Amino acid sequence: MTSRNYHLKKFYAAIFLLILSSIILMLYKEAFSLLGEIFLIALALLFAGIAVYTVFNNYRNSPKVEVNGDSITFNRKKIYYWKDLEKIEMTGKWPFDFWGNKKEGVFLKFKEEKELYIFDDMYFNMPAIKVYIEKIVLPKDSALSEPKTRDFTKPSDGKFTFYDGRQLYSFNGIVLWSIISIFLVITTIDLFKNQDIATLLAATIISFLALILFSMKMKYFAVSDNCLLIKTHNFFWLKTIYGLIDVRELVFERGKDRSATTTLRIIFKDFTSATYPAATLWSKKWLELKADLESKGIKVRNECVTYEPFEFKFFND
């Protein structure tokens, strides 16, 4: 089996940085002093350097991977034989660049070789590659096999425990309803004063787009004996339901681009995955969700959620 790369992922961030660098270079003459010009030139060169590094790092971390029953090969140069494999982890976050970023992927350690990583979002067919590797390297009852979860085939009573939060207690909820409230007041005043339908239409469109954008970051969850339910604040009729029998692992992680939104990543048995940001859930709710899922035999990897109950230290001394 041969990997199929996401070539666009190697360039889109670099293109944005190069455009930004070019704009700065075009504007540097507008600076009020020589020191300002030097600063803008240095800033443009910095962005250009980061763009070059980004392309280099993405290529370095997305070699062509070829897998067969005996070995795995990178860029058709370095061959590693499965008989020399010491350790493998099919899921996990691994170092991606010197910024400290980590990405989901496979960890491999062969005898007398350095650690290797294969990153999920660098390849179109990474789930298929993982399934193929697992069949070769992790046969049933192998010492390296993943722990087995309990049997979910028994019928459920259909009772769900919900884990959600209040919108106005979250940053996304506050911003969303502030935008809608401000536009509602402005358009109401303008409508009575000028009777301008165009302003009302524009405000309605902007508010509706904000509602969609922020609501998509405000998921919440429910768990039964056999199922995991995902719902959306404000769009209560939308729901997604997964059988726990199909879930390999759940991850609490930060959203893309270092978003402050804590996100649930669901990794399925076939190594496909889905992510659901849940901006309204506070840390305590996340940890309660984790405890509930683990009590049902589901592996949960907590990468970002911490909770310390508030205490009056004076009374505990």
Side-chain angles (χ1 to χ4, degrees), residues 6-7 19 25 34 39 52 69-70 101 104 109 125 127 145 150-151 158 160 184 232 251 255 262 284 304 313:
Y6 274 118
H7 294 293
I19 292 173
L25 282 177
L34 177 62
F39 171 77
V52 172
D70 297 319
N101 294 326
E104 193 75 23
K109 179 66 175 73
N125 59 337
S145 294
R150 75 174 180 85
D151 182 15
F160 282 89
L184 179 63
T232 306
V251 188
T262 304
K284 186 177 180 180
C304 61
K313 299 292 185 181

Side-chain angles (χ1 to χ4, degrees), residues 122-148:
M122 292 287 106
Y123 305 96
F124 280 106
N125 59 337
M126 192 61 191
I129 291 173
K130 282 187 169 185
V131 169
Y132 187 70
I133 290 175
E134 186 177 50
K135 287 180 179 177
I136 296 170
V137 180
L138 301 178
K140 292 182 179 179
D141 302 322
S142 165
L144 295 173
S145 294
E146 295 287 330
K148 296 179 180 178

Side-chain angles (χ1 to χ4, degrees), residues 260-309:
T261 304
T262 304
T263 298
L264 176 69
R265 177 184 292 272
I266 305 174
I267 302 175
F268 300 99
K269 293 287 178 67
D270 63 355
F271 291 106
T272 57
S273 66
T275 55
Y276 297 95
T280 65
L281 266 69
W282 285 31
S283 297
K284 186 177 180 180
K285 285 288 186 181
W286 280 106
L287 297 182
E288 288 174 357
L289 173 62
K290 179 176 184 290
D292 191 358
L293 290 164
E294 288 179 335
S295 72
K296 294 173 171 55
I298 298 295
K299 180 181 178 181
V300 180
R301 185 171 10 121
N302 180 9
E303 298 180 345
C304 61
V305 179
T306 57
Y307 171 70
E308 293 184 7

Side-chain angles (χ1 to χ4, degrees), residues 22-284:
S22 301
I23 292 172
I24 293 172
L25 282 177
M26 287 189 292
L27 296 176
Y28 87 95
K29 282 294 185 182
E30 303 298 324
F32 295 107
S33 65
L34 177 62
L35 184 61
E37 290 183 7
I38 293 173
F39 171 77
L40 290 177
I41 291 173
L43 188 62
L45 292 175
L46 174 63
F47 285 140
I50 294 174
V52 172
Y53 168 76
T54 299
V55 174
F56 167 77
N57 186 64
N58 285 348
Y59 266 106
R60 179 173 62 89
N61 284 309
S62 58
K64 188 178 185 66
V65 178
E66 296 174 283
V67 184
N68 60 42
D70 297 319
S71 64
I72 181 170
T73 306
F74 293 86
N75 284 334
R76 296 184 176 177
K77 295 178 182 179
K78 187 68 175 178
I79 301 176
Y80 301 90
Y81 293 95
W82 295 123
K83 61 183 178 63
D84 297 324
L85 183 68
E86 290 184 339
K87 184 178 180 181
I88 183 170
E89 293 188 33
M90 302 299 294
T91 60
K93 292 286 194 307
W94 313 110
F96 185 74
D97 56 34
F98 79 84
W99 310 107
N101 294 326
K102 293 184 177 182
K103 287 183 178 290
E104 193 75 23
V106 178
F107 168 87
L108 298 166
K109 179 66 175 73
F110 292 88
K111 293 178 182 178
E112 300 179 358
E113 298 287 353
K114 65 179 183 179
E115 297 172 347
L116 301 169
Y117 310 106
I118 311 174
F119 296 101
D120 288 4
D121 65 356
M122 292 287 106
Y123 305 96
F124 280 106
N125 59 337
M126 192 61 191
I129 291 173
K130 282 187 169 185
V131 169
Y132 187 70
I133 290 175
E134 186 177 50
K135 287 180 179 177
I136 296 170
V137 180
L138 301 178
K140 292 182 179 179
D141 302 322
S142 165
L144 295 173
S145 294
E146 295 287 330
K148 296 179 180 178
T149 57
R150 75 174 180 85
D151 182 15
F152 292 106
T153 57
K154 296 179 181 179
S156 170
D157 58 9
K159 294 181 180 179
F160 282 89
T161 302
F162 283 82
Y163 300 91
D164 58 1
R166 299 182 183 276
Q167 293 185 58
L168 293 181
Y169 290 175
S170 70
F171 174 78
N172 284 268
I174 292 171
V175 172
L176 169 61
W177 292 107
S178 295
I179 291 172
I180 292 176
S181 299
I182 290 169
F183 275 105
L184 179 63
V185 172
I186 291 173
T187 52
T188 301
I189 294 172
D190 187 70
L191 189 62
F192 280 103
K193 186 176 180 180
N194 301 319
Q195 296 184 347
D196 187 358
I197 300 298
T199 302
L200 176 62
L201 181 62
T204 301
I205 292 173
I206 293 173
S207 297
F208 182 68
L209 291 175
L211 182 66
I212 294 174
L213 177 64
F214 284 96
S215 294
M216 289 301 101
K217 292 186 177 182
M218 293 192 287
K219 308 286 187 182
Y220 63 98
F221 314 108
V223 180
S224 72
D225 283 346
N226 294 346
C227 298
L228 172 64
L229 174 68
I230 296 97
K231 299 197 73 174
T232 306
H233 288 287
N234 304 320
F235 302 131
F236 58 88
W237 60 90
L238 298 179
K239 66 179 181 180
T240 305
I241 190 164
Y242 298 110
L244 293 179
I245 194 171
D246 298 319
V247 175
R248 176 184 295 269
E249 182 179 359
L250 296 173
V251 188
F252 299 169
E253 63 184 25
R254 291 298 181 191
K256 294 181 179 179
D257 303 321
R258 295 187 179 275
S259 167
T261 304
T262 304
T263 298
L264 176 69
R265 177 184 292 272
I266 305 174
I267 302 175
F268 300 99
K269 293 287 178 67
D270 63 355
F271 291 106
T272 57
S273 66
T275 55
Y276 297 95
T280 65
L281 266 69
W282 285 31
S283 297
K284 186 177 180 180

